[in-house]
Amino acid sequence: MGQLGEVLERHLLCFGEMPEPDRQAVRALDGEVRNLPRLQDALREGDRPKEVVVVLSGFLYRYTMGPHGARQVHSFYMASEAPCLETLYIDYMDNNLGAAVDSRIGLIPHEMIYRVIDEFPEARKLLWRQTLVQAAIFREWLVRNSNLPAHAAIAHFFCEMFIRARAAGLSKGDSCDLPLTQEFVAEALGITPVHFNRTLKQLRDTNAVEWRSGRLIISDFDRLAGVADFNPRYLHLRC
Amino acid sequence: MGQLGEVLERHLLCFGEMPEPDRQAVRALDGEVRNLPRLQDALREGDRPKEVVVVLSGFLYRYTMGPHGARQVHSFYMASEAPCLETLYIDYMDNNLGAAVDSRIGLIPHEMIYRVIDEFPEARKLLWRQTLVQAAIFREWLVRNSNLPAHAAIAHFFCEMFIRARAAGLSKGDSCDLPLTQEFVAEALGITPVHFNRTLKQLRDTNAVEWRSGRLIISDFDRLAGVADFNPRYLHLRC
DNA sequence: CGCGGCTTTGACAGCTGTCAAACAGAGTGG
DNA sequence: CCACTCTGTTTGACAGCTGTCAAAGCCGCG
């Protein structure tokens, strides 16, 4: 029973069920654990990683660098999530994975996972599905950043983060950790930090949400979801 | 040897290699062929399809409807491409798939593909990879729509469509079909048709690209790619 | 010729970006 | 305990890209 395998098993079970033998096979996965200091990268564009990453604590983010030093964040990953599962079957990274705060990550060798995939169809199905859910999230972010005005986009982002935290068992009541700077989130939403800050103030004034010292508190989820036209359907969560 | 299987085989080979037995298994896939008139949907939000779609001719597009009737296009699919391969392992559609022009599509039953996936690991690998490449394209569209000014976004879109058409063997020299209205493309880029039109005129004046009566002609690809900061890396094409 | 769909153009409002500077809070060292 | 520094947040002023609303032009087709 590897620590990493247990984390991955719990994560996969958010998206569907597996029979006990498959669960056991996933649970048996294990690998190296490593500290990843804030702003350090775990994977870089062009890398051909030989392990799959699991977030144990902290917050990771995936990004690409634009031509003029502009950074676009594609996604955030909280504890228990598995970014870049896709490295299993894609030749090389076309983006970067880094730590937004001091984090601890686990590295499960591809070889071990290939064996599970070959021998346990239900585990394979959930692994595959996890990568598809990632794609669904990218689609939703595309819609959000392309169509929603800043205040709705911010509300949408908060809703998603909270729902994901709750699914991962990381929320407490109506709040969860969100240890990011405004700049990070602004780069995920495709807006300027300045504009993000201004718009956040407006949202705060609605008393639906608060975000300070790394903690997100959603006192009126329904109102916030209404502002964002948020529907958690795309997350394909079972719980 | 199914017609649909052959199309799918050729598409998968754009992303990697398979040994002959796997190729044969894919080639043997087949199913119903159906006409899909312009603006009609093949799949709708909430559907639980039992077949995988292959585009035989025409142009499909995937989209979601926003709250105020706003439509966001997630992607376009030209002949030989396979949209929504993801339906194999995801519970229900969280978006719609429709025809941008009169099209012909093939429907391969999930059951047939599951058998290939179970018995032919290399075919499975390419199928999986195809879904991952889709995700990579979503990421790139996210970056494009979030960061690039309209003229660069349009140039980027043209570059991608041309490269994909060439990979599919659908280009002739420096041109390919692109039978879409300006409105469709504008909705993919997350800008207004009016603004799209205005900005397109500017691009046209650079003499790098032309687009009329459904045909895209790129007379100076390098210049266009420069404007867009386009790098085809994310398409993960072998050829 | 008239109709319908698409493209093109105009005028104007407004959301968002840019550049700068002030402000706040945590950690450091004197 | 108080400067001091550093990072991140907050505000201000202003430019400009993009959206909105309308109307005109273009083209294929019955």
Side-chain angles (χ1 to χ4, degrees), chain B residues 19-144:
Chain B
E20 185 52 30
D22 297 62
R23 293 179 57 163
Q24 204 158 35
V26 172
R27 225 177 303 143
L29 292 168
D30 211 352
E32 180 192 349
V33 173
R34 183 195 297 177
N35 283 316
L36 192 65
R38 175 177 150 80
L39 296 185
Q40 190 164 312
D41 286 339
L43 298 173
R44 284 264 176 75
E45 211 172 307
D47 284 356
R48 298 166 177 275
K50 301 226 166 334
E51 304 101 3
V52 155
V53 178
V54 174
V55 186
L56 297 177
S57 72
F59 236 84
L60 301 195
Y61 70 112
R62 215 206 287 216
Y63 67 98
T64 52
M65 297 304 299
H68 319 305
R71 185 172 55 178
Q72 169 74 37
V73 173
H74 301 154
S75 34
F76 292 109
Y77 301 96
M78 53 188 76
S80 89
E81 296 189 321
C84 307
L85 218 49
E86 74 209 36
T87 60
L88 283 168
Y89 287 114
I90 218 146
D91 38 3
Y92 50 78
M93 293 288 293
D94 57 17
N95 53 74
N96 309 280
L97 178 70
V101 298
D102 290 343
S103 304
R104 221 166 79 253
I105 63 175
L107 300 171
I108 306 175
H110 281 180
E111 290 306 332
M112 291 182 72
I113 301 190
Y114 287 141
R115 273 202 297 278
V116 172
I117 287 174
D118 283 334
E119 293 170 32
F120 298 91
E122 293 301 313
R124 179 219 300 158
K125 176 174 161 180
L126 286 188
L127 284 165
W128 196 332
R129 180 179 295 173
Q130 198 272 3
T131 66
L132 298 173
V133 172
Q134 290 295 315
I137 295 178
F138 291 137
R139 274 201 302 275
E140 187 77 10
W141 282 37
L142 174 67
V143 174
R144 181 195 66 196

